[in-house]
Amino acid sequence: MIKRVSINITERINWFWRLLMTGFCFTLFGVGGLLLSLVWFNLLLVFLRNKNKRCHLARHSISFSFRLFLFLTRKLGVLDYHFNGLDKIRADKGCLIIANHPTLLDYVILASTLPDVDCIVKSALLRNPFVSGVIRSARYLINSDAETLLPVCRERLTSGHNILIFPEGTRTTPGQPISLQRGAANIAVRCECDLRIIHITCSQTMLDKKSKWYQIPPKKPIYTINIGEQLTNENFAVDIENGHAIAARQLNRQLTQLLTPSN
């Protein structure tokens, strides 16, 4: 009985510590985003006139800040994470990276290790003062601009850039099957690029679509990021009789299967 009470007290202390450190880390994250937007990116705009070099440095600055944030969350016991197969993705060129989206930190974790990756983001994020400067300085692609999105994607993929997209469009609804928008499949089919599938899991319920930042789990969450094999364009090349639309629908069904977690 004494041992059980001791364990419960230890667990409560650990939970309270993680709650405090979660608040501290996310406060630091917000302040860091504002400082990057208001100070560092404006300095780059003034002193670095070449827009490609400015974008490159901005993206590496973002990646470094994410690595620092994740280092703190790991050291303070807020969460942990590990990659499986990271070397495979670092060799990709001109590839569309497709990932599921269970939690708020998915992009942060991926961008921390892939500093040069392009990213397709929701236009609503441009109204968020903590990330709008990041999006503009990194020259990320906005999904609302349908007329120009596809040609810009084709240009960047052809030049060897990788593009990250979360085809669900938002975080997965807990307890519901994943539902993919067709944008990722359309880009893959029409740009004739290879795909890299990433599957993200979290051992605890944390920062999903229905959770607030302060609703922390009873145990420390552990993220696992599995880098899947590359899906080459030959696997979903367009049949002349069917055309792009049917090929995109077929690919979207295939992606749904690949991104659905196995039981």
Side-chain angles (χ1 to χ4, degrees), residues 61-100:
S61 302
I62 294 165
S63 181
F64 174 78
S65 67
F66 287 168
R67 289 196 300 273
L68 179 59
F69 169 76
L70 292 170
F71 172 81
L72 287 174
T73 58
R74 175 180 273 171
K75 289 297 182 181
L76 294 173
V78 173
L79 58 84
D80 203 350
Y81 66 97
H82 60 267
F83 286 85
N84 294 322
L86 188 58
D87 289 342
K88 292 186 293 186
I89 199 170
R90 285 177 171 166
D92 288 339
K93 298 291 182 183
C95 189
L96 188 64
I97 301 170
I98 295 182
N100 65 318

Side-chain angles (χ1 to χ4, degrees), residues 3-4 16 44 122 128 142 159 165-166 189 211 235 252:
K3 185 177 181 180
R4 182 177 299 175
F16 187 67
L44 292 182
K122 296 187 296 184
N128 186 321
I142 310 302
S159 63
I165 183 171
F166 298 99
V189 167
S211 300
N235 292 321
N252 204 51

Side-chain angles (χ1 to χ4, degrees), residues 2-15:
I2 294 175
K3 185 177 181 180
R4 182 177 299 175
V5 171
S6 177
I7 292 174
N8 288 338
I9 293 175
T10 301
E11 289 178 348
R12 286 177 180 273
I13 292 173
N14 178 267
W15 180 90

Side-chain angles (χ1 to χ4, degrees), residues 211-260:
S211 300
K212 305 297 184 182
W213 71 264
Y214 51 82
Q215 294 174 320
I216 66 170
K219 296 182 179 179
K220 179 174 68 174
I222 301 174
Y223 284 78
T224 302
I225 302 93
N226 290 308
I227 312 299
E229 297 302 320
Q230 193 178 76
L231 189 64
T232 62
N233 176 252
E234 286 77 11
N235 292 321
F236 50 89
V238 176
D239 188 317
I240 296 177
E241 295 182 0
N242 293 331
H244 291 100
I246 293 178
R249 284 198 294 270
Q250 293 172 343
L251 177 58
N252 204 51
R253 288 194 293 268
Q254 184 178 359
L255 293 176
T256 300
Q257 293 175 349
L258 291 171
L259 291 177
T260 298

Side-chain angles (χ1 to χ4, degrees), residues 10-242:
T10 301
E11 289 178 348
R12 286 177 180 273
I13 292 173
N14 178 267
W15 180 90
F16 187 67
W17 168 260
R18 286 188 292 109
L19 176 62
L20 290 177
M21 292 303 100
T22 299
F24 169 75
C25 288
F26 275 97
T27 300
L28 193 64
F29 185 87
V31 172
L34 283 176
L35 288 176
L36 282 175
S37 298
L38 298 177
V39 181
W40 177 240
F41 293 150
N42 283 322
L43 288 175
L44 292 182
L45 193 63
V46 171
F47 294 104
L48 196 57
R49 307 309 299 175
N50 186 296
K51 66 178 183 179
N52 291 326
K53 290 182 179 179
R54 188 168 63 241
C55 176
H56 175 80
L57 187 52
R59 289 185 181 182
H60 279 255
S61 302
I62 294 165
S63 181
F64 174 78
S65 67
F66 287 168
R67 289 196 300 273
L68 179 59
F69 169 76
L70 292 170
F71 172 81
L72 287 174
T73 58
R74 175 180 273 171
K75 289 297 182 181
L76 294 173
V78 173
L79 58 84
D80 203 350
Y81 66 97
H82 60 267
F83 286 85
N84 294 322
L86 188 58
D87 289 342
K88 292 186 293 186
I89 199 170
R90 285 177 171 166
D92 288 339
K93 298 291 182 183
C95 189
L96 188 64
I97 301 170
I98 295 182
N100 65 318
H101 198 7
T103 80
L104 188 64
L105 292 180
D106 304 330
Y107 157 69
V108 173
I109 294 174
L110 293 177
S112 71
T113 61
L114 303 170
D116 291 314
V117 72
D118 276 305
C119 191
I120 298 177
V121 300
K122 296 187 296 184
S123 59
L125 291 176
L126 290 174
R127 298 191 294 270
N128 186 321
F130 297 101
V131 298
S132 60
V134 170
I135 294 171
R136 291 188 175 92
S137 297
R139 293 169 61 194
Y140 286 154
L141 303 168
I142 310 302
N143 66 359
S144 64
D145 199 358
E147 292 185 1
T148 60
L149 181 60
L150 187 62
V152 173
C153 285
R154 182 181 289 112
E155 177 188 352
R156 296 195 185 184
L157 290 165
T158 302
S159 63
H161 290 255
N162 297 322
I163 298 178
L164 170 64
I165 183 171
F166 298 99
E168 293 171 84
T170 185
R171 282 170 284 171
T172 309
T173 301
Q176 299 294 323
I178 67 171
S179 176
L180 306 188
Q181 299 177 11
R182 208 173 294 168
N186 271 316
I187 293 171
V189 167
R190 296 175 187 276
C191 294
E192 300 181 344
C193 63
D194 296 335
L195 300 179
R196 176 71 71 182
I197 307 297
I198 295 182
H199 198 268
I200 304 169
T201 58
C202 186
S203 64
Q204 302 285 316
T205 299
M206 179 184 182
L207 299 174
D208 60 24
K209 196 171 184 179
K210 294 184 176 180
S211 300
K212 305 297 184 182
W213 71 264
Y214 51 82
Q215 294 174 320
I216 66 170
K219 296 182 179 179
K220 179 174 68 174
I222 301 174
Y223 284 78
T224 302
I225 302 93
N226 290 308
I227 312 299
E229 297 302 320
Q230 193 178 76
L231 189 64
T232 62
N233 176 252
E234 286 77 11
N235 292 321
F236 50 89
V238 176
D239 188 317
I240 296 177
E241 295 182 0
N242 293 331

